């Protein structure tokens, strides 16, 4: 049939000659190639000890952010839970009491905030949905666990450390 | 005298058994390591230094896994299949001469379980029994894939055994003996049969790949088409038995190839070494050389596995019936003519 685009190339298939038909030279050549790979640099990353470099927009474990004064940004509006296609996020909201102003930025906050890491597909829709810039998927790879219940991450694992916590941690280290 | 003979043979059998099992176990590790290195990876390296305890971990896993038997399976044959595969794979190593006779505290001990004068026929008999393990296992599973694998295994083994036997006949014309011991002794130094029978060796090698069901002739198993073929329904230790049988088969056929074509325990300069190390340590060097040759062959098996893709079934049959068998017959004719010519003139 005539080619309309004019870019069609008909491959010419020549009948194989004697050496090609007995296959052995080709096999030995292939074996030479595979053998040379024995001495090449290995691509393996020894994972728990070494970590692969991730790209800038890589999405890992979630973290709930604090503002510049160390107050939690999340107001428990539920938009992240609503946007989540895997329904991995649940939360319970609570009203801020007198004397808690240094902990939470606004009058409402998430008393319980849970992400089921087995359900999460790391699509990043929660961070897009968040109006308060409170959730980001900027953490490392979620580690493996032995029990399913351990994959439900609460605020203890998700909220980023406050300035005082960081100072305390540094104090321990120092 | 009789008691000493018995102890000597039992000791050789036990040592051989342990060595075979160890090599088979470490072949599983070597397979993964070789695969990894050929693919620019490092392979299992967590269990002990360089992963040397990996076979133990794998074996432990095999033992503790749940063994399931399919509902429609023939219960007795389902157990008989892997048992037979394992049994026949062990039998082959009995006639291999592992070294020259050794002087063990003044007693001359031949390093061979038994020297039967039809050793090659014995090997062929045992090896062809191996296909029953596959056939029975595939049949007893009551699974279409397993049955397909079993049928493929049977027809493949039958067609390749002919070419293998024919390639051996040409070798026998050169050696004039069916005994492994005599054949090994004839190849003193570097006078290996490979130099006289290169084509025969090539045919034998290809057939050995087909007999041990290794890639590129792993059609009875082929994970991608038959989901494991004859061992689809097997789990736990029975699966392990099949896997072990495959590796032991590989070990035995490597030993047979090394003995028949590559001089067995012979190596250039062996007289010099024997003279200087004495009648006890000299033959042991020969044993080490034979083991080295066997390990090289096992590496070759693995190397080919990660290079050559699997044959299609009709290609396999074409290669066996239309190429290897005529080639082997031509090899016999040429060998016979050359021998007659040199004898007469």
């Amino acid at each position: 049939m005539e080619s309309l685009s004019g870019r069609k190339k008909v491959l010419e298939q020549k009948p194989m000659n004697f050496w090609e038909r007995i296959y052995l030279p080709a096999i030995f050549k292939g074996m030479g190639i595979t053998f040379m790979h024995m001495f090449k640099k290995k691509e393996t990353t020894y994972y728990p000890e070494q970590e692969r470099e991730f790209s800038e927009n890589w999405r890992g474990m979630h973290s709930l952010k604090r503002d510049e004064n160390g107050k939690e940004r999340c107001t428990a509006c539920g938009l992240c839970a609503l946007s989540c296609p895997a329904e991995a996020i649940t939360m319970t909201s609570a009203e801020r009491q007198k004397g808690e102003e240094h902990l939470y930025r606004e009058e409402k906050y998430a008393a319980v905030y849970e992400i089921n890491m087995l359900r999460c597909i790391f699509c990043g829709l929660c961070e897009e949905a968040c109006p308060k810039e409170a959730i980001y998927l900027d953490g490392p790879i979620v580690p493996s666990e032995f029990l399913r219940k351990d994959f439900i991450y609460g605020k203890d694992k998700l909220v980023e450390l406050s300035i005082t916590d960081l100072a305390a941690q540094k104090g321990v280290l120092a | 005298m009789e008691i000493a003979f018995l102890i000597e043979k039992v000791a050789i059998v036990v040592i051989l058994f342990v060595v075979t099992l160890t090599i088979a176990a470490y072949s599983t590790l070597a397979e993964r390591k070789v695969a990894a290195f050929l693919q620019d990876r490092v392979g299992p390296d967590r269990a002990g230094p360089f992963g040397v305890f990996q076979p133990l971990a794998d074996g432990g896993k095999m033992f503790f896994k749940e063994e399931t038997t399919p509902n429609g399976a023939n219960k007795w044959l389902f157990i008989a299949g892997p048992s037979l595969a394992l049994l026949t794979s062990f039998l082959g190593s009995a006639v291999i001469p592992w070294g020259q006779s050794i002087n063990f505290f003044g007693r001359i001990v031949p390093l061979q379980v038994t020297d039967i004068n039809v050793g090659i026929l014995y090997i062929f008999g045992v090896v062809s029994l191996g296909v029953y393990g596959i056939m029975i296992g595939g049949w007893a599973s009551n699974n279409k894939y397993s049955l397909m694998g079993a049928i493929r295994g049977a027809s493949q083994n039958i067609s390749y055994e002919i070419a293998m036997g024919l390639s051996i006949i040409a070798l026998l014309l050169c050696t004039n003996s069916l005994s492994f011991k005599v054949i090994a002794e004839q190849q003193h130094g570097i006078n290996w049969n490979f130099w006289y029978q290169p084509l025969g060796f090539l045919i034998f090698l290809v057939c050995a790949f087909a007999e041990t069901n290794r890639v590129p002739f792993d059609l009875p198993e082929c994970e991608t088409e038959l989901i494991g073929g004859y061992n689809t329904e097997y789990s736990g230790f029975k699966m392990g038995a099949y896997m072990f049988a495959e590796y032991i088969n590989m070990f035995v056929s490597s030993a047979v190839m090394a003995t028949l074509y590559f001089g067995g325990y012979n190596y250039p300069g062996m007289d010099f070494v024997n003279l200087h190390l004495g009648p006890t340590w000299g033959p042991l060097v020969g044993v080490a050389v034979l083991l080295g040759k066997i390990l090289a062959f096992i590496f070759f098996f693995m190397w080919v596995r990660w290079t050559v893709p699997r044959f299609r079934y009709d290609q396999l049959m074409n290669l066996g019936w239309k190429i290897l068998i005529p080639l082997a017959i031509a090899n016999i004719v040429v060998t016979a003519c050359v021998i007659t010519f040199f004898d007469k003139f």
Side-chain angles (χ1 to χ4, degrees):
Chain A
M1 209 161 72
E2 197 184 334
S3 167
L4 293 176
S5 65
R7 281 181 300 190
K8 193 167 101 178
K9 272 186 194 165
V10 180
L11 278 180
E12 213 182 314
Q13 275 200 321
K14 280 180 268 180
M16 290 192 283
N17 66 26
F18 176 74
W19 291 107
E20 281 166 346
R21 254 187 301 145
I22 60 173
Y23 286 113
L24 285 175
I27 286 176
F28 287 130
K29 201 176 141 196
M31 290 180 70
I33 291 171
T34 46
F35 193 73
M36 289 321 285
H37 274 268
M38 297 258 299
F39 310 105
K40 287 214 170 136
K41 194 177 162 289
K42 305 296 170 212
E43 299 287 344
T44 306
T45 312
Y46 295 80
Y47 167 58
E49 296 94 30
Q50 281 174 18
E51 272 197 29
R52 190 162 58 93
E53 261 186 53
F54 294 119
S55 70
E56 285 284 301
N57 55 358
W58 189 79
R59 292 191 292 263
M61 204 172 105
H62 315 65
S63 69
L64 291 171
K65 298 292 178 193
R66 293 173 190 275
D67 69 358
E68 55 278 8
N69 298 321
K71 303 174 187 176
E72 282 177 27
R73 286 168 168 271
C74 179
T75 64
C77 63
L79 280 178
C80 48
L82 205 63
S83 71
C84 181
E87 303 204 359
I89 304 177
T90 58
M91 68 187 76
T92 314
S93 62
E95 212 166 320
R96 186 177 68 183
Q97 302 298 318
K98 270 261 158 59
E100 289 181 338
E101 282 87 353
H102 65 288
L103 290 175
Y104 311 110
R105 196 166 67 164
E106 292 175 37
E107 294 88 58
K108 202 172 125 214
Y109 70 95
V112 179
Y113 191 102
E114 283 179 347
I115 300 180
N116 187 337
M117 291 298 176
L118 290 176
R119 295 199 67 116
C120 179
I121 59 172
F122 300 94
C123 60
L125 286 182
C126 47
E127 76 182 3
E128 275 182 43
C130 185
K132 298 289 180 187
E133 299 192 338
I135 187 166
Y136 281 97
L137 278 76
D138 56 357
I141 299 173
V142 175
S144 49
E145 305 277 358
F146 286 103
L147 297 172
R148 277 170 180 271
K149 68 177 175 58
D150 293 336
F151 279 103
I152 299 171
Y153 281 27
K155 279 182 80 173
D156 53 325
K157 285 181 177 171
L158 292 171
V159 180
E160 68 172 3
L161 292 174
S162 67
I163 299 162
T164 47
D165 287 340
L166 278 174
Q169 211 174 45
K170 256 187 196 158
V172 169
L173 288 174
Chain B
M1 185 63 194
E2 282 301 308
I3 293 289
F5 180 76
L6 205 64
I7 290 172
E8 168 193 313
K9 287 302 178 196
V10 167
I12 291 178
V13 167
V14 169
I15 291 171
L16 189 57
F17 191 71
V18 171
V19 167
T20 311
L21 274 180
T22 314
I23 287 187
Y26 275 89
S27 294
T28 62
L29 174 66
E31 176 105 88
R32 295 169 68 180
K33 277 282 184 191
V34 169
F37 270 77
L38 292 179
Q39 294 168 355
D40 299 342
R41 299 184 283 116
V42 290
D45 69 334
R46 293 295 152 134
F50 305 107
V52 287
F53 299 129
Q54 190 71 36
L56 298 178
D58 285 343
K61 184 200 75 175
M62 284 289 184
F63 270 111
F64 290 114
K65 267 194 150 180
E66 184 186 359
E67 285 199 39
T68 53
T69 310
N71 242 348
N74 184 328
K75 300 280 183 301
W76 195 81
L77 289 182
F78 195 70
I79 300 169
S83 320
L84 201 60
L86 202 56
L87 178 77
T88 51
S89 61
F90 272 118
L91 285 176
S93 55
V95 291
I96 310 282
W98 299 96
Q100 286 164 303
S101 294
I102 188 170
N103 187 339
F104 191 72
F105 296 115
R107 192 183 152 76
I108 305 295
V109 181
L111 289 179
Q112 188 177 16
V113 176
T114 173
D115 174 36
I116 41 182
N117 53 11
V118 288
I120 289 180
L121 291 185
Y122 168 83
I123 283 269
F124 269 75
V126 168
V127 164
S128 51
L129 275 180
V131 72
Y132 283 101
I134 291 173
M135 270 178 69
I136 290 174
W139 169 261
S141 301
N142 192 23
N143 173 320
K144 293 183 190 73
Y145 292 115
S146 303
L147 189 60
M148 288 280 282
I151 293 169
R152 284 180 174 196
S155 53
Q156 169 180 329
N157 274 36
I158 289 167
S159 36
Y160 276 79
E161 219 139 81
I162 297 171
M164 201 181 210
L166 289 176
S167 72
I168 282 295
I169 288 177
L171 180 78
L172 296 181
L173 289 176
C174 298
T175 59
N176 286 322
S177 172
L178 281 163
S179 154
F180 270 90
K181 193 178 181 190
V182 175
I183 291 176
E185 276 165 2
Q186 282 172 351
Q187 306 179 65
H188 196 78
I190 190 96
N191 186 25
W192 298 349
N193 284 331
F194 174 72
W195 313 123
Y196 304 108
Q197 286 290 327
L199 181 63
F201 169 71
L202 193 68
I203 296 167
F204 192 89
L205 183 71
V206 174
C207 295
F209 273 88
E211 287 279 330
T212 49
N213 298 324
R214 295 281 303 178
V215 180
F217 304 114
D218 65 333
L219 287 139
E221 293 188 38
C222 56
E223 295 92 343
T224 41
E225 295 167 44
L226 296 184
I227 338 175
Y230 60 88
N231 53 28
T232 304
E233 297 289 356
Y234 282 94
S235 59
F237 189 68
K238 295 199 204 87
M239 161 81 213
Y242 267 127
M243 215 174 71
F244 245 69
E246 184 188 324
Y247 284 104
I248 294 168
N249 274 334
M250 207 161 88
F251 171 68
V252 171
S253 55
S254 298
V256 169
M257 277 192 286
T259 311
L260 288 184
Y261 286 99
F262 279 86
Y265 49 77
N266 297 294
Y267 54 96
M270 59 190 297
D271 291 327
F272 177 81
V273 173
N274 281 350
L275 200 66
H276 283 262
L277 288 178
T280 308
W281 292 102
L284 284 178
V285 176
V287 175
V289 167
L290 177 58
L291 279 179
K293 285 173 185 170
I294 290 170
L295 294 185
F297 268 116
I298 290 179
F299 172 75
F300 185 77
F301 270 98
M302 291 167 182
W303 183 12
V304 167
R305 170 167 182 182
W306 300 105
T307 307
V308 184
R310 183 185 306 130
F311 276 61
R312 219 169 49 212
Y313 198 63
D314 59 315
Q315 292 173 331
L316 175 92
M317 283 296 160
N318 262 339
L319 181 66
W321 290 100
K322 293 191 191 161
I323 299 173
L324 288 183
I325 290 179
L327 259 184
I329 292 174
N331 191 31
I332 294 172
V333 173
V334 170
T335 312
C337 289
V338 169
I339 287 175
T340 321
F341 183 82
F342 275 106
D343 277 356
K344 288 267 190 244
F345 305 104

